Amino acid sequence: MRIKKRVVWQHLLGLLLVILPTAEGNSVPLQNDDVISVHHNSSVTLTPATHELAATDQIDLEVSAQVRSVSFTLAQALQVESITLGQESSSQGASFTTVQIPGSTAQRIVVMLPEEHGHKVTLVWAYRGPINDPPKELRHLRFVTPSETAGHIGLEGVYLSGESQWYPDVEGSFSTYRVTTHIPEGWTVVGSGRKVAENLHSGMVSSTWIVGERSEAFTLVANKFVTKSKEWKASTTGQRVEIQTHFLRDNAGLADEYLDATAQYLDAYVQILGDYPFEKFAVVENFFASGLGMPSFTLLGSGSIKRHYIQPYALGHEIVHSWIGNSVFNRDGHGNWVEGLTTYLANYYWHELVQDDRQAFEQRRMMLQGYNLYVRPEDDYAVAQFFRKHDEKDNAIGYQKSAFVFHLLRREIGDEPFWRGLKTFVGQYRNHPADWGSIEKVFSRESGQNLRWFFEQWVEQSGAPVVSLGDASAHRINKDGDQTVWQMTIRIQQSEKPYRMVIPIKVVMEDSSEERSVMLNPSRINAVELVLPNAPLWVELDPELMSFRRLARYQLPPVLNSYVTDSDKTVMRAFSDPASPLEQIVSRIEEHEPTDSQRTRVVALEGHVVPREGSVLILAEAAQGQAVQSVVLESCGDRATLKDTGFRIDGQSYDGPSMAVLFSCHRTNVPGSVLTVLYGVTSDAVAKVARLLFYYGWHSYVIFQDGAVKKREIWPGQEDTMEVRIDDMS
Ligand SMILES: [Zn+2]
């Protein structure tokens, strides 16, 4: 069935594999174009012990004059007891038909309207039944266990989203809501919008929620929460927002940390995106693993909350979704731009905002590396074709490349028009769906440029430019008088499909260096002329990673994910104890290997030479340090040296029984493949690392002490540099 009520899914730690509860395809045609407005005034009693709800919903509809029937969807498990026309005691039952939607958990209910309805119709529904789909745990090589459910009412918690179909919904509509919930004492409900009343009566807590702006869905969750709140006030506009945490008892002590972080993100993003679009923001603990951004709240799994999930890519990302996705909606069926823009503003731009250049660079590297490792050219698809994330490739296209496209757009039109355009876009599309075309329209207008070529090239076409330095030469010229300058010519090649793009070039001269941005035309060879004050020594293509391009694996920093994404992989056991935590890694790899991929070979290091092809992961204990060292030397040189009592990495020694290291080097003479080693001085030192190994996929080395990260760094891949040839013109 068509997923019409979307929640915005966030990737946990950038690695979460999200499988959505409903399959795509089998789309249901919209039949309610003539429905002008929908308002729900409902009352719902939740009984966690029996998984049931009982509800009445007075639905006020404004429809075109010719409308004779309206089509609703509702979860199949819910039983409609009555639908009446009007709310007076004299009101009559409405006639309706019910059809099960094939391949879906929903039923479609078509209600006939009276002939003379005068545009306005009130339907009062009474319905009840169970919503009982306990979250399923999914397992994945990355050992993240996201869960999925279409909705659940149970003693462990209540989760009812639009996808749960827990209320009669006019397909394709944006509605306003007034919802009163009743739940046993001790439970707290958190719903979309603003809470306007709460009281306790006969052992039941009732609370009333209002959503006054058109919204895609009403989501409510409930649990035995400990609640904390404070008021946030915007320094610039004076806007006031109540920020809240609703945590289970174990995590209640973390409330202040989350409230403070929320305030900090709101401070920053109201300046970029305009007024915060809701009256509250709540961080709510979920009873299953999730990172969900809903209108006015975010729902995070207990594990995430415990791990201090307040980083820009985590809580920051959820808060940006308040504007991007929950206030400006993604137009269903037209590609998903929401995740790319949110990722750009939260995961990336936050670091620029706080002037952490190093982290900003790291994020650009990870966006580029994610795309280059996980998207093979033959499997690539256009950003416009991204709908939702099913695997790392979708993540690399729909989040990472898409985020980078916004970076390119900003560089193309300039900072001022970009940020002005963004604010205009958010304001103009508030409470409305938008698509890539809307973005193009707004930014073209705000920048005064025709950006058709930009969106066609970066959004509608798959792939990335393959750019390299062809030649660089310079000669001395004498300008008027005695002044000497250097004229340099750089030839930049584009293999594959040539792009129109700007790429920075760093020119290193005898006693200085300069960075220039050069414009490439969509042709195979671009000759670029630069005039320089000094004799150039060498040039480097885009050292700060400001452009988006296809890079060969050996050009990227060697990391564990280079091993993970190699089609030819070997794991080598360099330990003898079958009870070693390293053995758990071997079994997990064997267990989780997708059956359609080439199998990973598992061999013992002893008596074997390292395979001639492919990437190698060596799992090593101290007793075999010497044997591993001889293999390491060939690929890593003096970057990594293993000893019985410790190791030396990048010239620094780390000794002691609590130390472990994970490092990767490009394999000498095997272009594109890596040698990765996990080495622990003792079994204890490696045990905790072994459990979370694949979380450490993006660095060339990670040093651990007692399982905690002590240091992580990157070893660059092969850089795009070229010596400048000096032509003697004299
Ligand atoms: Zn997201």
Side-chain angles (χ1 to χ4, degrees):
M1 64 166 260
R2 174 168 169 269
I3 300 164
K4 67 182 181 4
K5 296 299 178 185
R6 175 186 38 76
V7 286
V8 178
W9 294 76
Q10 146 72 347
H11 53 293
L12 290 171
L13 302 170
L15 293 170
L16 186 87
L17 177 73
V18 174
I19 308 285
L20 282 152
T22 42
E24 282 176 69
N26 304 329
S27 80
V28 173
L30 284 181
Q31 299 171 335
N32 290 310
D33 292 347
D34 294 322
V35 175
I36 298 156
S37 79
V38 184
H39 175 72
H40 292 265
N41 188 346
S42 77
S43 170
V44 54
T45 302
L46 300 160
T47 312
T50 59
H51 310 290
E52 282 176 311
L53 64 79
T56 58
D57 190 359
Q58 177 190 316
I59 305 175
D60 298 319
L61 296 166
E62 193 182 340
V63 295
S64 306
Q66 73 276 15
V67 173
R68 290 288 163 266
S69 68
V70 178
S71 167
F72 296 82
T73 54
L74 186 69
Q76 265 177 30
L78 299 175
Q79 183 76 39
V80 177
E81 293 176 325
S82 63
I83 303 175
T84 52
L85 277 162
Q87 65 213 86
E88 289 81 34
S89 51
S90 61
S91 56
Q92 313 163 358
S95 79
F96 61 93
T97 56
T98 299
V99 190
Q100 304 302 323
I101 304 172
S104 144
T105 54
Q107 53 186 323
R108 179 175 298 123
I109 298 164
V110 180
V111 182
M112 304 309 291
L113 305 186
E115 297 221 343
E116 297 298 325
H117 54 60
H119 303 283
K120 296 205 172 175
V121 181
T122 295
L123 299 172
V124 181
W125 294 57
Y127 63 96
R128 63 169 61 234
I131 300 272
N132 183 9
D133 181 16
K136 293 169 271 295
E137 297 285 323
L138 296 182
R139 303 235 167 253
H140 184 240
L141 181 61
R142 269 141 226 287
F143 322 120
V144 179
T145 54
S147 314
E148 58 167 299
T149 169
H152 188 61
I153 300 170
L155 289 172
E156 64 273 49
V158 173
Y159 170 74
L160 296 173
S161 73
E163 282 159 341
S164 314
Q165 310 270 358
W166 67 276
Y167 55 87
D169 184 49
V170 179
E171 292 177 78
S173 69
F174 297 95
S175 308
T176 52
Y177 302 85
R178 179 188 176 91
V179 177
T180 301
T181 60
H182 312 277
I183 199 162
E185 186 178 358
W187 287 71
T188 305
V189 168
V190 182
S192 307
R194 183 163 53 103
K195 184 164 71 179
V196 293
E198 183 164 59
N199 57 66
L200 176 64
H201 185 69
S202 312
M204 296 292 277
V205 186
S206 302
S207 52
T208 300
W209 302 81
I210 288 183
V211 176
E213 296 200 43
R214 284 157 29 99
S215 181
E216 284 182 299
F218 190 95
T219 296
L220 73 81
V221 299
N223 219 318
K224 296 184 172 172
F225 293 128
V226 179
T227 294
K228 194 161 184 184
S229 71
K230 72 173 188 185
E231 191 187 67
W232 170 87
K233 189 176 156 201
S235 60
T236 41
T237 60
Q239 187 193 11
R240 289 164 197 272
V241 176
E242 188 179 355
I243 55 181
Q244 311 165 341
T245 51
H246 302 275
F247 289 172
L248 298 175
R249 197 157 301 279
D250 276 2
N251 283 331
L254 296 170
D256 285 336
E257 184 181 334
Y258 282 82
L259 292 174
D260 293 347
T262 299
Q264 204 185 2
Y265 288 122
L266 289 177
D267 284 339
Y269 288 109
V270 288
Q271 312 229 16
I272 295 169
L273 298 165
D275 277 355
Y276 175 75
F278 305 101
E279 281 151 323
K280 71 154 196 292
F281 182 82
V283 184
V284 184
E285 181 163 349
N286 200 2
F287 59 96
F288 58 88
S290 69
L292 302 171
M294 319 284 197
S296 83
F297 66 103
T298 182
L299 201 51
L300 305 176
S302 304
S304 300
I305 287 174
K306 215 180 293 296
R307 284 194 299 272
H308 310 277
Y309 196 70
I310 56 169
Q311 304 81 354
Y313 63 77
L315 184 63
H317 185 107
E318 305 300 350
I319 288 173
V320 170
H321 271 315
S322 302
W323 288 267
I324 309 299
N326 289 328
S327 173
V328 180
F329 314 128
N330 196 65
R331 188 186 299 281
D332 275 349
H334 286 251
N336 176 343
W337 53 273
V338 160
E339 291 306 340
L341 181 52
T342 304
T343 301
Y344 184 61
L345 296 175
N347 308 35
Y348 172 74
Y349 184 66
W350 175 263
H351 302 291
E352 271 199 42
L353 206 57
V354 300
Q355 295 175 338
D356 187 344
D357 293 348
R358 188 188 145 96
Q359 260 312 310
F361 174 83
E362 268 299 284
Q363 290 300 321
R364 291 194 299 274
R365 175 185 71 81
M366 292 207 279
M367 290 191 266
L368 275 172
Q369 194 155 7
Y371 173 79
N372 277 288
L373 286 183
Y374 281 100
V375 185
R376 292 164 190 276
E378 61 271 26
D379 304 327
D380 202 351
Y381 61 82
V383 164
Q385 297 301 315
F386 169 74
F387 290 90
R388 56 191 74 243
K389 174 165 68 175
H390 299 285
D391 57 22
E392 293 288 350
K393 182 181 75 179
D394 299 328
N395 185 56
I397 295 170
Y399 286 67
Q400 296 177 306
K401 180 180 175 184
S402 182
F404 218 115
V405 166
F406 286 98
H407 191 60
L408 299 176
L409 179 62
R410 177 177 154 213
R411 289 178 59 79
E412 183 64 37
I413 65 175
D415 268 16
E416 198 279 324
F418 179 82
W419 296 116
R420 177 162 39 81
L422 185 63
K423 230 178 203 170
T424 305
F425 170 68
V426 170
Q428 188 178 332
Y429 285 89
R430 179 168 177 159
N431 299 329
H432 288 89
D435 53 27
W436 281 107
S438 327
I439 294 172
E440 178 181 338
K441 213 184 297 170
V442 170
F443 283 97
S444 294
R445 194 180 60 220
E446 295 295 321
S447 67
Q449 295 178 31
N450 183 345
L451 295 169
R452 181 81 287 270
W453 68 271
F454 181 93
F455 286 88
E456 190 181 333
Q457 176 174 283
W458 293 111
V459 177
E460 291 159 24
Q461 292 172 10
S462 64
V466 182
V467 187
S468 61
L469 289 164
D471 182 57
S473 64
H475 62 268
R476 191 202 307 254
I477 47 174
N478 289 315
K479 293 224 301 204
D480 331 328
D482 298 338
Q483 200 195 353
T484 302
V485 292
W486 293 78
Q487 170 117 28
M488 180 166 70
T489 307
I490 307 171
R491 289 167 83 80
I492 299 173
Q493 301 168 339
Q494 294 201 61
S495 50
E496 311 297 324
K497 192 174 69 68
Y499 277 61
R500 170 176 168 184
M501 63 187 291
V502 174
I503 193 163
I505 286 178
K506 184 178 176 184
V507 183
V508 178
M509 292 164 283
E510 275 165 352
D511 47 12
S512 61
S513 68
E514 266 186 41
E515 204 162 296
R516 305 267 181 103
S517 280
V518 302
M519 177 80 195
L520 302 186
N521 294 313
S523 55
R524 294 242 170 256
I525 298 204
N526 277 261
V528 177
E529 302 276 342
L530 302 175
V531 175
L532 303 164
N534 285 305
L537 302 176
W538 74 83
V539 290
E540 193 172 345
L541 204 54
D542 194 14
E544 289 296 313
L545 306 179
M546 286 294 183
S547 61
F548 191 82
R549 55 197 180 113
R550 181 56 82 176
L551 293 161
R553 296 169 67 89
Y554 63 83
Q555 291 179 289
L556 299 163
V559 294
L560 174 62
N561 281 337
S562 315
Y563 162 84
V564 169
T565 53
D566 201 325
S567 57
D568 185 343
K569 293 191 272 291
T570 305
V571 177
M572 303 193 89
R573 279 194 184 93
F575 59 92
S576 44
D577 179 5
S580 165
L582 297 169
E583 185 58 39
Q584 293 161 19
I585 300 175
V586 176
S587 14
R588 277 204 312 263
I589 287 171
E590 286 176 332
E591 200 177 308
H592 293 283
E593 181 126 296
T595 45
D596 57 347
S597 79
Q598 200 176 338
R599 274 204 84 77
T600 303
R601 290 177 294 276
V602 181
V603 299
L605 177 71
E606 219 172 0
H608 278 80
V609 287
V610 175
R612 284 150 80 108
E613 299 295 331
S615 288
V616 181
L617 171 62
I618 300 179
L619 304 170
E621 62 179 11
Q624 296 198 28
Q626 286 309 314
V628 178
Q629 179 56 34
S630 62
V631 174
V632 166
L633 189 63
E634 188 190 12
S635 293
C636 300
D638 58 6
R639 275 180 170 166
T641 313
L642 306 182
K643 299 175 292 180
D644 292 351
T645 56
F647 43 84
R648 193 174 168 81
I649 301 287
D650 254 359
Q652 194 175 340
S653 290
Y654 302 88
D655 285 296
S658 61
M659 302 305 298
V661 61
L662 172 73
F663 61 91
S664 301
C665 305
H666 283 299
R667 288 194 64 186
T668 306
N669 303 326
V670 191
S673 288
V674 294
L675 174 81
T676 298
V677 178
L678 173 62
Y679 177 74
V681 177
T682 58
S683 188
D684 278 352
V686 91
K688 199 169 157 198
V689 182
R691 265 204 311 280
L692 296 172
L693 181 66
F694 290 92
Y695 275 113
Y696 305 111
W698 295 110
H699 287 85
S700 301
Y701 71 83
V702 189
I703 315 262
F704 303 92
Q705 184 163 24
D706 289 320
V709 175
K710 199 173 151 66
K711 187 174 183 190
R712 53 182 137 201
E713 278 297 336
I714 284 301
W715 285 323
Q718 187 176 311
E719 282 153 3
D720 252 329
T721 58
M722 181 167 275
E723 225 175 295
V724 181
R725 188 181 70 248
I726 302 296
D727 295 333
D728 193 352
M729 303 288 282
S730 55

